[in-house]
Amino acid sequence: MLMSRRLYFLTSNQGKLREAKHHLASSGWSLEQFSIDGKVPEFIEPQADSLEEVALSKLVQAIALLESQDRSSDAILVEDSGLFIHAFPGFPGVYSSHIFKSLGCTGILSLMGEERSAHFEAVAVLWDGERTRIGRGVCRGRIANDMVEGEGFGFDPIFIPDDLEDGSSSDGKPFGAISISLKHCFSHRRSALDELFNSDDE
Ligand code: ITT
């Protein structure tokens, strides 16, 4: 188990930050958004086929930046995630952030036919000052017929998670209509962070 300390999350997405903070609140880790002089640094997002490649590339760039700032022992977290719509293999996948900004939830709904199954994936990578750790998470579900507003961010208004074997259910509601605590029962982000923080030291 990793020792508790301050952890900097490299993200410009307030929804991702809020969920990671919520999940790690009782873990002993204190999570802060990574910034230099009050700004979240922008890194080159590589043209890559996998979330893992994107996350690791951002982590390598962040470690180099920390070294240049004499902060090389700081712990840093990067998490890359995406929605995968099964009727359109690989889409929007690694391009989820871009597609969300260009098409939005309404644009996705307009593309959908009868086949509506989908899943979210997340890859979280952590540099603890000495080594890199990786955690992965998946959340299965489907694209709703209509959009709901309320909670969450990104594609939450149109994503309905499948019920889980432990009895957890959103009662057919999209993430956008349920609390952050209930979303965490299903969340790809929560699973990726759990795998990361519960991995034993090698
Ligand atoms: P950073 O790279 O700065 O962390 P980002 O929003 O660009 O922020 P990603 O590249 O990981 O983050 O993009 C993931 C996109 O997938 C995100 O913008 C959302 O549109 C969507 N997404 C990921 N997880 C989601 C979730 O739990 N709920 C809703 N949408 C999600």
Tab-separated table of all heavy atoms in Angstrom, residues 83-112:
chain	number	residue	atom	x	y	z
A	83	LEU	N	-15.348	7.469	-23.610
A	83	LEU	CA	-16.584	6.731	-23.851
A	83	LEU	C	-16.393	5.908	-25.118
A	83	LEU	O	-15.847	6.417	-26.111
A	83	LEU	CB	-17.723	7.743	-24.045
A	83	LEU	CG	-19.092	7.177	-24.428
A	83	LEU	CD1	-19.687	6.368	-23.269
A	83	LEU	CD2	-20.053	8.316	-24.806
A	84	PHE	N	-16.823	4.662	-25.095
A	84	PHE	CA	-16.719	3.781	-26.268
A	84	PHE	C	-18.120	3.304	-26.629
A	84	PHE	O	-18.755	2.591	-25.844
A	84	PHE	CB	-15.797	2.589	-25.964
A	84	PHE	CG	-14.361	3.001	-25.753
A	84	PHE	CD1	-13.962	3.589	-24.558
A	84	PHE	CD2	-13.421	2.839	-26.760
A	84	PHE	CE1	-12.644	3.993	-24.362
A	84	PHE	CE2	-12.096	3.235	-26.572
A	84	PHE	CZ	-11.717	3.812	-25.375
A	85	ILE	N	-18.592	3.722	-27.810
A	85	ILE	CA	-19.948	3.382	-28.259
A	85	ILE	C	-19.832	2.181	-29.200
A	85	ILE	O	-19.164	2.259	-30.244
A	85	ILE	CB	-20.589	4.596	-28.972
A	85	ILE	CG1	-20.685	5.769	-27.988
A	85	ILE	CG2	-21.963	4.228	-29.522
A	85	ILE	CD1	-21.216	7.057	-28.594
A	86	HIS	N	-20.448	1.068	-28.835
A	86	HIS	CA	-20.175	-0.197	-29.528
A	86	HIS	C	-20.637	-0.218	-30.989
A	86	HIS	O	-20.071	-0.932	-31.800
A	86	HIS	CB	-20.761	-1.360	-28.735
A	86	HIS	CG	-20.200	-1.425	-27.337
A	86	HIS	ND1	-20.695	-2.221	-26.352
A	86	HIS	CD2	-19.162	-0.740	-26.748
A	86	HIS	CE1	-19.997	-2.055	-25.231
A	86	HIS	NE2	-19.070	-1.156	-25.455
A	87	ALA	N	-21.627	0.592	-31.313
A	87	ALA	CA	-22.091	0.640	-32.706
A	87	ALA	C	-21.042	1.305	-33.611
A	87	ALA	O	-21.094	1.140	-34.835
A	87	ALA	CB	-23.410	1.409	-32.790
A	88	PHE	N	-20.115	2.050	-33.000
A	88	PHE	CA	-19.069	2.752	-33.767
A	88	PHE	C	-17.721	2.417	-33.132
A	88	PHE	O	-17.218	3.198	-32.311
A	88	PHE	CB	-19.283	4.271	-33.728
A	88	PHE	CG	-20.689	4.706	-34.048
A	88	PHE	CD1	-21.499	5.262	-33.066
A	88	PHE	CD2	-21.208	4.551	-35.320
A	88	PHE	CE1	-22.795	5.653	-33.353
A	88	PHE	CE2	-22.509	4.938	-35.615
A	88	PHE	CZ	-23.312	5.486	-34.622
A	89	PRO	N	-17.135	1.245	-33.471
A	89	PRO	CA	-15.946	0.771	-32.753
A	89	PRO	C	-14.853	1.837	-32.612
A	89	PRO	O	-14.470	2.471	-33.580
A	89	PRO	CB	-15.484	-0.417	-33.602
A	89	PRO	CG	-16.750	-0.919	-34.238
A	89	PRO	CD	-17.568	0.324	-34.527
A	90	GLY	N	-14.409	2.034	-31.374
A	90	GLY	CA	-13.325	2.979	-31.088
A	90	GLY	C	-13.770	4.422	-30.974
A	90	GLY	O	-12.948	5.306	-30.704
A	91	PHE	N	-15.049	4.684	-31.147
A	91	PHE	CA	-15.539	6.068	-31.164
A	91	PHE	C	-16.396	6.355	-29.944
A	91	PHE	O	-17.239	5.507	-29.618
A	91	PHE	CB	-16.364	6.308	-32.436
A	91	PHE	CG	-17.011	7.668	-32.499
A	91	PHE	CD1	-16.302	8.762	-32.975
A	91	PHE	CD2	-18.322	7.858	-32.071
A	91	PHE	CE1	-16.900	10.023	-33.029
A	91	PHE	CE2	-18.915	9.113	-32.122
A	91	PHE	CZ	-18.203	10.194	-32.599
A	92	PRO	N	-16.279	7.521	-29.308
A	92	PRO	CA	-15.220	8.510	-29.518
A	92	PRO	C	-13.897	8.141	-28.874
A	92	PRO	O	-12.883	8.725	-29.198
A	92	PRO	CB	-15.794	9.794	-28.906
A	92	PRO	CG	-16.832	9.371	-27.940
A	92	PRO	CD	-17.338	8.032	-28.396
A	93	GLY	N	-13.896	7.147	-27.958
A	93	GLY	CA	-12.643	6.585	-27.444
A	93	GLY	C	-11.626	7.618	-26.997
A	93	GLY	O	-11.937	8.501	-26.185
A	94	VAL	N	-10.423	7.516	-27.571
A	94	VAL	CA	-9.352	8.443	-27.158
A	94	VAL	C	-9.665	9.880	-27.566
A	94	VAL	O	-9.012	10.805	-27.093
A	94	VAL	CB	-7.969	8.032	-27.729
A	94	VAL	CG1	-7.460	6.757	-27.097
A	94	VAL	CG2	-7.999	7.901	-29.235
A	95	TYR	N	-10.665	10.054	-28.411
A	95	TYR	CA	-11.023	11.419	-28.844
A	95	TYR	C	-12.227	11.974	-28.068
A	95	TYR	O	-12.850	12.953	-28.502
A	95	TYR	CB	-11.324	11.426	-30.351
A	95	TYR	CG	-10.185	10.861	-31.160
A	95	TYR	CD1	-10.296	9.614	-31.772
A	95	TYR	CD2	-8.975	11.546	-31.269
A	95	TYR	CE1	-9.225	9.066	-32.474
A	95	TYR	CE2	-7.912	11.005	-31.969
A	95	TYR	CZ	-8.041	9.767	-32.570
A	95	TYR	OH	-6.988	9.230	-33.248
A	96	SER	N	-12.576	11.351	-26.953
A	96	SER	CA	-13.804	11.714	-26.235
A	96	SER	C	-13.861	13.191	-25.848
A	96	SER	O	-14.909	13.838	-25.981
A	96	SER	CB	-13.958	10.860	-24.978
A	96	SER	OG	-14.212	9.525	-25.341
A	97	SER	N	-12.734	13.713	-25.379
A	97	SER	CA	-12.740	15.107	-24.928
A	97	SER	C	-13.042	16.034	-26.115
A	97	SER	O	-13.890	16.934	-26.033
A	97	SER	CB	-11.369	15.418	-24.319
A	97	SER	OG	-11.314	16.721	-23.890
A	98	HIS	N	-12.384	15.765	-27.229
A	98	HIS	CA	-12.564	16.573	-28.436
A	98	HIS	C	-14.002	16.435	-28.960
A	98	HIS	O	-14.653	17.436	-29.305
A	98	HIS	CB	-11.548	16.111	-29.481
A	98	HIS	CG	-11.743	16.712	-30.821
A	98	HIS	ND1	-11.554	18.055	-31.066
A	98	HIS	CD2	-12.175	16.173	-31.988
A	98	HIS	CE1	-11.839	18.298	-32.330
A	98	HIS	NE2	-12.219	17.179	-32.908
A	99	ILE	N	-14.497	15.204	-28.994
A	99	ILE	CA	-15.851	14.969	-29.524
A	99	ILE	C	-16.901	15.571	-28.591
A	99	ILE	O	-17.929	16.099	-29.050
A	99	ILE	CB	-16.109	13.450	-29.740
A	99	ILE	CG1	-15.178	12.920	-30.844
A	99	ILE	CG2	-17.558	13.152	-30.073
A	99	ILE	CD1	-15.403	13.498	-32.241
A	100	PHE	N	-16.629	15.517	-27.301
A	100	PHE	CA	-17.585	16.150	-26.381
A	100	PHE	C	-17.683	17.642	-26.678
A	100	PHE	O	-18.774	18.213	-26.724
A	100	PHE	CB	-17.189	15.912	-24.914
A	100	PHE	CG	-18.123	16.622	-23.979
A	100	PHE	CD1	-19.424	16.146	-23.806
A	100	PHE	CD2	-17.741	17.773	-23.322
A	100	PHE	CE1	-20.324	16.821	-22.992
A	100	PHE	CE2	-18.636	18.453	-22.500
A	100	PHE	CZ	-19.926	17.972	-22.338
A	101	LYS	N	-16.510	18.267	-26.916
A	101	LYS	CA	-16.526	19.723	-27.190
A	101	LYS	C	-17.168	20.050	-28.536
A	101	LYS	O	-17.826	21.069	-28.685
A	101	LYS	CB	-15.099	20.280	-27.145
A	101	LYS	CG	-14.575	20.389	-25.724
A	101	LYS	CD	-13.119	20.821	-25.694
A	101	LYS	CE	-12.510	20.543	-24.312
A	101	LYS	NZ	-11.092	20.217	-24.357
A	102	SER	N	-16.972	19.165	-29.539
A	102	SER	CA	-17.508	19.497	-30.868
A	102	SER	C	-18.961	19.035	-31.057
A	102	SER	O	-19.803	19.812	-31.505
A	102	SER	CB	-16.616	18.927	-31.969
A	102	SER	OG	-16.422	17.552	-31.763
A	103	LEU	N	-19.286	17.803	-30.686
A	103	LEU	CA	-20.650	17.283	-30.908
A	103	LEU	C	-21.547	17.407	-29.687
A	103	LEU	O	-22.756	17.603	-29.808
A	103	LEU	CB	-20.599	15.791	-31.276
A	103	LEU	CG	-20.045	15.365	-32.621
A	103	LEU	CD1	-20.210	13.847	-32.765
A	103	LEU	CD2	-20.797	16.053	-33.757
A	104	GLY	N	-20.937	17.256	-28.507
A	104	GLY	CA	-21.717	17.278	-27.269
A	104	GLY	C	-22.635	16.068	-27.163
A	104	GLY	O	-22.652	15.187	-28.031
A	105	CYS	N	-23.425	16.056	-26.091
A	105	CYS	CA	-24.342	14.924	-25.869
A	105	CYS	C	-25.424	14.901	-26.939
A	105	CYS	O	-25.810	13.823	-27.419
A	105	CYS	CB	-24.987	15.046	-24.490
A	105	CYS	SG	-23.827	14.775	-23.146
A	106	THR	N	-25.897	16.056	-27.356
A	106	THR	CA	-26.965	16.112	-28.356
A	106	THR	C	-26.484	15.508	-29.669
A	106	THR	O	-27.227	14.772	-30.332
A	106	THR	CB	-27.368	17.579	-28.621
A	106	THR	OG1	-27.286	18.282	-27.387
A	106	THR	CG2	-28.744	17.697	-29.192
A	107	GLY	N	-25.250	15.822	-30.057
A	107	GLY	CA	-24.700	15.295	-31.299
A	107	GLY	C	-24.585	13.785	-31.256
A	107	GLY	O	-24.884	13.092	-32.234
A	108	ILE	N	-24.161	13.249	-30.104
A	108	ILE	CA	-24.063	11.784	-29.965
A	108	ILE	C	-25.446	11.154	-30.083
A	108	ILE	O	-25.634	10.171	-30.810
A	108	ILE	CB	-23.410	11.393	-28.606
A	108	ILE	CG1	-21.942	11.856	-28.533
A	108	ILE	CG2	-23.528	9.898	-28.353
A	108	ILE	CD1	-20.983	11.110	-29.423
A	109	LEU	N	-26.434	11.742	-29.411
A	109	LEU	CA	-27.791	11.179	-29.470
A	109	LEU	C	-28.297	11.118	-30.909
A	109	LEU	O	-28.959	10.162	-31.307
A	109	LEU	CB	-28.759	12.014	-28.618
A	109	LEU	CG	-28.656	11.844	-27.103
A	109	LEU	CD1	-29.711	12.684	-26.397
A	109	LEU	CD2	-28.795	10.386	-26.697
A	110	SER	N	-27.942	12.132	-31.686
A	110	SER	CA	-28.452	12.183	-33.064
A	110	SER	C	-27.822	11.107	-33.953
A	110	SER	O	-28.371	10.773	-35.006
A	110	SER	CB	-28.222	13.573	-33.663
A	110	SER	OG	-26.846	13.739	-33.889
A	111	LEU	N	-26.667	10.552	-33.527
A	111	LEU	CA	-26.008	9.500	-34.319
A	111	LEU	C	-26.553	8.106	-34.014
A	111	LEU	O	-26.369	7.169	-34.791
A	111	LEU	CB	-24.510	9.453	-33.997
A	111	LEU	CG	-23.649	10.678	-34.297
A	111	LEU	CD1	-22.240	10.438	-33.780
A	111	LEU	CD2	-23.643	10.917	-35.799
A	112	MET	N	-27.219	7.968	-32.851
A	112	MET	CA	-27.537	6.632	-32.360
A	112	MET	C	-28.717	5.985	-33.073
A	112	MET	O	-29.703	6.654	-33.394
A	112	MET	CB	-27.866	6.689	-30.850
A	112	MET	CG	-26.745	7.204	-29.969
A	112	MET	SD	-25.215	6.258	-30.063
A	112	MET	CE	-25.729	4.622	-29.589
